Amino acid sequence: MTIERERIVEVSAPAEPEGAADHNPAACSRVAPILQRIGDKWSILIVMTLAGGPRRFNELKRQIGGISQRMLTLALRGLERDGLVSRHVTPTIPPRVDYALTELGMSLRAPMMTIGAWANEHYDTIQDARARFDRGEKEA
């Protein structure tokens, strides 16, 4: 039987990222619900789909794919409540309902496109890391 002794290594603290000294925990609790809304997978897909212009409910459902009617309804309501999406009802039979991004919602396009570009750029690296993790390998 082999007994390994623990090795203690002193490590200096990493340098704080720029702006870290300005971190305000109270601000985190303020923005957390907003980040939860705009970081939700369905919300991101809805915003990016509506970036191409107004859409009807079923058109959104078809273009997004994989989203249930209930989930789309809930996500649209949340985005509308937060002022990111507007809902316009045209009084016809049956009523026509169109969803569009508000000015605030349009301002989300650039940050979401940046995050999407980052995810696309790092996709292969992330897939490799997941495969290593799933095989129980340690990071090199």
Side-chain angles (χ1 to χ4, degrees):
M1 173 154 90
T2 306
I3 299 174
E4 291 186 26
R5 296 179 62 186
E6 283 187 40
R7 195 172 112 191
I8 299 173
V9 179
E10 281 192 44
V11 179
S12 61
E16 283 189 354
E18 189 175 321
D22 300 330
H23 176 70
N24 178 351
C28 285
S29 63
R30 269 185 65 192
V31 300
I34 297 167
L35 293 175
Q36 185 174 5
R37 166 77 59 223
I38 63 173
D40 170 76
K41 134 178 145 172
W42 297 122
S43 295
I44 291 170
L45 293 172
I46 291 168
V47 168
M48 294 314 294
T49 301
L50 290 176
R55 302 281 190 275
R56 295 179 75 175
F57 184 91
N58 285 327
E59 189 179 4
L60 274 171
K61 190 170 181 312
R62 268 191 314 276
Q63 288 182 346
I64 291 171
I67 189 169
S68 69
Q69 184 166 330
R70 175 172 164 65
M71 188 52 67
L72 180 56
T73 299
L74 291 173
L76 285 167
R77 272 194 204 140
L79 290 167
E80 185 180 8
R81 179 175 183 251
D82 289 348
L84 302 168
V85 168
S86 65
R87 180 177 184 266
H88 178 75
V89 180
T90 305
T92 58
I93 299 179
R96 177 186 172 113
V97 181
D98 291 290
Y99 295 91
L101 290 179
T102 62
E103 188 175 328
L104 181 62
M106 293 293 269
S107 72
L108 261 179
R109 290 183 313 167
M112 284 191 177
M113 289 175 78
T114 300
I115 291 170
W118 179 91
N120 192 45
E121 180 182 339
H122 295 90
Y123 179 84
D124 291 334
T125 306
I126 291 168
Q127 290 302 100
D128 291 344
R130 287 176 175 176
R132 281 192 311 276
F133 181 90
D134 292 347
R135 288 190 306 264
E137 296 175 12
K138 300 286 184 196
E139 186 176 335

